[in-house]
């Protein structure tokens, strides 16, 4: 049984990740400050190993598996970024990995997961039960299941993003008033809330989600976990989840987090803005925090806003669509 996520478990995750995960920079862009009308600090997790923050949580969690259980391997369910994070972490640590992925996941994510050495089993989104498929594999093989967000080790690993933002912002002489992260199940955002405790304890933490899949915005408003009506239907495939993770939601409620919502068109415009103005490649799901800033969804104020560009594994066709919009 893993300890519940806390500031201390995030610090322990930082130690495990040292030398393996990239300490991504915290960047300033005058063009973005001008667009927002306030300082904006950009954490480009698109530069992280495997192209997203997911490597942090995956490597931390896999590192915690007892050595006598590692020969049975690991199993994960993911549309792509968690898949790649688990696959690469497993490769580094010498574990076998099986990833259950939707057959409509971006081809680049399917291929990269295989390239990292994992076995990929596809399912039909909205038709097949991916959790049942994963559970069956675990029962047959004894493998450890690594949940993409409702896992203390994963949340703690993602929390190192918050640790870095807090320390890097202070080094720049700034303390964020607001921190916005792209949110699916909430592993990143809740971990960041914990990781910010020392250097930015007063920061308002905000989730950012696509319209129609704004379960966190509705859940944080109501105080109870709300489910999404559909399993697919947004270009932000990386952050489409059924409902908030139980552990992550509890953390975000404690931190009085707020939910922000953007449209697919706004997410696509943010992808194009990042490419043209910031010279960064971002996928739609990884750009919704940037979209929240660009389209005035962040609570008003003049203090610094920190945002996470959470993933950059975008299909070329999607990038062309963004640039043509």
């Amino acid at each position: 049984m893993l300890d519940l996520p806390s500031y201390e478990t995030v610090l322990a995750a930082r130690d495990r990740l040292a030398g393996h995960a990239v300490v991504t920079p915290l960047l300033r862009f005058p063009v973005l400050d001008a667009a927002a009308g306030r300082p904006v600090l950009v954490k480009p997790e698109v530069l992280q190993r495997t192209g997203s923050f997911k490597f942090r949580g995956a490597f931390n969690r896999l590192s915690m598996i007892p050595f006598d259980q590692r020969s049975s391997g690991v199993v994960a369910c993911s549309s792509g970024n968690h898949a790649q994070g688990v696959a690469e972490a497993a490769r580094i640590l010498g574990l076998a990995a099986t990833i259950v992925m939707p057959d409509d996941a971006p081809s680049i994510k399917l291929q990269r997961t295989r390239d990292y050495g994992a076995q990929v089993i596809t399912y039909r989104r909205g038709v097949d039960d991916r959790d049942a498929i994963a559970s069956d594999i675990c029962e047959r093989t004894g493998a450890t299941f690594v949940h993409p967000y409702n896992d203390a080790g994963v949340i703690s690993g993602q929390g190192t993003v918050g640790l870095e933002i807090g320390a890097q912002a202070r080094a720049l002489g700034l303390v964020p008033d607001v921190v916005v992260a792209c949110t699916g199940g909430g592993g990143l955002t809740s971990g960041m809330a914990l990781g910010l405790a020392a250097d930015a304890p007063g920061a308002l933490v905000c989730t950012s989600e696509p319209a129609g899949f704004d379960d966190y915005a509705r859940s944080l408003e109501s105080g109870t976990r709300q489910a999404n009506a559909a399993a697919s239907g947004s270009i932000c495939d990386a952050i489409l989840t059924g409902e908030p993770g139980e552990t992550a939601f509890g953390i975000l409620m404690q931190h009085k987090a707020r939910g922000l919502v953007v449209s697919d068109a706004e997410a696509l415009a943010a992808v194009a803005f990042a490419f043209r103005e910031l010279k960064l490649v971002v996928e739609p799901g990884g750009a919704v925090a940037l979209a929240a800033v660009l389209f005035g969804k962040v609570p008003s104020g003049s203090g610094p806003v920190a945002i996470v560009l959470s993933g950059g594994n975008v299909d070329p066709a999607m990038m062309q669509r963004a640039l043509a919009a």
Side-chain angles (χ1 to χ4, degrees):
M1 188 71 170
L2 301 180
D3 292 335
L4 287 173
S6 65
Y7 180 70
E8 288 70 29
T9 66
V10 175
L11 291 177
R14 179 182 61 186
D15 293 341
R16 295 188 190 97
L17 288 168
H20 296 287
V22 177
V23 177
T24 53
L26 195 64
L27 305 175
R28 293 283 303 276
F29 298 92
V31 66
L32 185 52
D33 290 354
R38 61 200 298 185
V40 180
L41 308 173
V42 178
K43 186 70 165 168
E45 282 295 292
V46 298
L47 305 179
Q48 186 55 255
R49 200 164 185 161
T50 72
S52 90
F53 74 95
K54 289 287 191 177
F55 175 78
R56 296 173 183 261
F59 189 87
N60 184 58
R61 180 64 182 91
L62 268 61
S63 297
M64 299 170 73
I65 298 174
F67 284 97
D68 62 356
Q69 297 177 22
R70 294 189 179 189
S71 62
S72 298
V74 295
V75 174
C77 298
S78 170
S79 67
N81 286 334
H82 179 61
Q84 292 172 86
V86 170
E88 176 66 348
R91 185 193 67 79
I92 295 168
L93 294 169
L95 282 68
T98 302
I99 314 295
V100 182
M101 301 182 68
D103 58 10
D104 64 349
S107 59
I108 190 172
K109 295 182 178 181
L110 289 162
Q111 187 56 50
R112 288 279 173 80
T113 303
R114 295 186 177 103
D115 289 345
Y116 290 129
Q119 178 187 7
V120 173
I121 296 176
T122 59
Y123 71 95
R124 296 166 295 171
R125 200 193 301 255
V127 177
D128 299 323
D129 185 342
R130 72 175 191 177
D131 294 327
I133 296 170
S135 178
D136 178 66
I137 297 169
C138 289
E139 288 181 9
R140 287 189 288 104
T141 65
T144 298
F145 181 68
V146 183
H147 197 279
Y149 51 85
N150 200 36
D151 181 288
V154 169
I155 291 172
S156 298
Q158 320 303 28
T160 59
V161 176
L163 278 179
E164 291 173 16
I165 287 175
Q168 291 167 328
R170 284 201 176 270
L172 294 171
L174 298 168
V175 179
D177 280 356
V178 183
V179 180
V180 187
C182 312
T183 306
L188 171 61
T189 317
S190 62
M192 287 173 57
L194 297 172
L196 289 163
D199 288 315
L204 172 64
V205 176
C206 294
T207 62
S208 189
E209 303 167 286
F213 299 88
D214 55 351
D215 47 301
Y216 257 102
R218 290 181 283 111
S219 298
L220 292 169
E221 178 69 23
S222 68
T224 59
R225 289 193 296 153
Q226 305 291 313
N228 289 321
S232 61
S234 168
I235 61 172
C236 302
D237 65 280
I239 55 173
L240 303 187
T241 53
E243 63 182 353
E246 183 176 4
T247 301
F249 177 66
I251 293 169
L252 289 172
M253 282 295 294
Q254 284 184 329
H255 284 80
K256 297 180 171 56
R258 188 178 304 182
L260 311 178
V261 183
V262 303
S263 68
D264 272 10
E266 289 167 339
L268 208 59
V271 170
F273 182 93
F275 183 82
R276 292 192 177 107
E277 304 295 344
L278 312 185
K279 312 308 176 188
L280 291 168
V281 174
V282 190
E283 63 190 283
V288 294
L290 174 60
V293 169
L294 292 175
F295 291 94
K297 308 301 175 73
V298 177
S300 61
S302 59
V305 177
I307 64 171
V308 181
L309 303 182
S310 58
N313 296 307
V314 59
D315 267 345
M318 183 62 71
M319 179 58 77
Q320 290 174 348
R321 178 178 168 184
L323 296 177

